[in-house]
Amino acid sequence: MASFPPRVNEKEIVRSRTIGELLAPAAPFDKKCGRENWTVAFAPDGSYFAWSQGHRTVKLVPWSQCLKNFLLHGTKNITNSSSLRLSRQNSDGAQKNKPREHIIDCGDIVWSLAFGSSVPEKQSRCVNIEWHRFRFGQDQLLLATGLNNGRIKIWDVYTGKLLLNLVDHTEVVRDLTFAPDGSLILVSASRDKTLRVWDLKDDGNMMKVLRGHQNWVYSCAFSPDSSMLCSVGASKAVVAAILV
């Protein structure tokens, strides 16, 4: 019989309670948002929570403010309510990294979400760093969205602006994961039976195409040291790859 690991206190799980509920709009607006909630993700530092509200729209919510709203207004938190909406200061200067709420129109149904954060660059893999359109800094926080049309869009979490559009997949992008070492290496899993490895510090250059699944790829995950990638698909097989 399955059981929890020793570090998990089952009594604490029994005592857990709901602290809040985020509600999507009751009706679509401009056919961009429905009631379906496809996927959710937390930023690595806990500063943001992202959720797909259905169809094309992703909501980015500053998590500390969201928790504060739960305490003030009870468990129901309709994030589209103007009374709970955060003020949207100018994103320039000192306000750039202050958490702000964003609504992102991704252009197609969103199947997967992943946050990625950067660390100080030790050494670029490209000789000509000046060719790069983006030089990600120490405080960079990105959101990757995997779409129904096979595209992956990369957004600046602090501004809500689109940075990169990755277009090599030919089917739905079912899952996304960033390497936990802060390198901004992104892996995508798709119904086209492949996984693709992207280097976002190199303008989203596709480094590798990983083949091995005989059917749709559903999910992928890095090992804690970012050296190994495991994936699972419709064929019920787990495929492991060492990334060097």
Side-chain angles (χ1 to χ4, degrees):
M1 185 176 70
S3 61
F4 292 102
R7 67 178 181 277
V8 177
N9 188 335
E10 295 184 38
K11 294 181 180 179
E12 292 293 333
I13 296 176
V14 173
R15 290 200 298 266
S16 65
R17 62 185 179 87
T18 300
I19 62 170
E21 181 180 3
L22 296 173
L23 302 178
F29 56 92
D30 295 335
K31 297 182 179 179
K32 295 179 182 177
C33 183
R35 296 185 67 87
E36 304 89 352
N37 290 264
W38 293 90
T39 184
V40 295
F42 273 104
D45 61 0
S47 60
Y48 272 93
F49 176 74
W51 59 310
S52 169
Q53 292 186 325
H55 301 312
R56 299 161 42 158
T57 305
V58 170
K59 187 120 182 178
L60 278 167
V61 182
W63 186 241
S64 61
Q65 183 63 50
C66 187
L67 290 176
K68 191 178 299 183
N69 287 339
F70 287 145
L71 295 177
L72 291 175
H73 303 280
T75 60
K76 299 289 185 180
N77 187 351
I78 304 175
T79 59
N80 286 59
S81 171
S82 59
S83 64
L84 302 183
R85 188 169 296 171
L86 301 179
S87 60
R88 301 192 176 189
Q89 302 93 344
N90 191 300
S91 61
D92 295 332
Q95 297 291 341
K96 179 177 185 262
N97 295 342
K98 187 172 182 178
R100 297 184 301 120
E101 178 182 305
H102 295 289
I103 298 175
I104 297 174
D105 183 351
C106 297
D108 205 342
I109 295 174
V110 180
W111 282 85
S112 50
L113 297 171
F115 281 97
S117 61
S118 62
V119 295
E121 295 185 22
K122 296 179 180 179
Q123 183 177 1
S124 173
R125 279 182 291 275
C126 273
V127 176
N128 296 300
I129 187 68
E130 66 272 11
W131 289 0
H132 290 192
R133 289 179 293 162
F134 306 105
R135 295 188 65 177
F136 297 114
Q138 182 175 355
D139 59 350
Q140 192 75 38
L141 184 61
L142 306 177
L143 178 71
T145 56
L147 306 182
N148 190 68
N149 60 10
R151 296 194 175 196
I152 302 166
K153 292 187 177 181
I154 310 298
W155 310 85
D156 185 323
V157 170
Y158 300 128
T159 65
K161 293 181 179 179
L162 178 65
L163 298 179
L164 294 169
N165 192 7
L166 313 178
V167 297
D168 285 297
H169 278 299
T170 59
E171 296 287 348
V172 173
V173 179
R174 287 295 305 266
D175 196 23
L176 295 165
T177 184
F178 278 94
D181 61 4
S183 62
L184 291 182
I185 298 299
L186 174 69
V187 174
S188 54
S190 173
R191 284 185 181 176
D192 64 12
K193 307 177 186 179
T194 69
L195 296 105
R196 296 174 190 254
V197 184
W198 315 84
D199 184 356
L200 299 193
K201 286 186 178 179
D202 189 12
D203 287 351
N205 176 51
M206 187 177 67
M207 302 166 57
K208 295 181 181 180
V209 179
L210 303 177
R211 308 180 191 275
H213 287 276
Q214 302 302 311
N215 213 319
W216 296 352
V217 188
Y218 287 149
S219 182
C220 55
F222 273 101
S223 61
D225 63 359
S226 302
S227 66
M228 181 170 291
L229 178 75
C230 289
S231 58
V232 66
S235 61
K236 302 181 181 179
V238 176
V239 176
I242 297 176
L243 301 179
V244 293

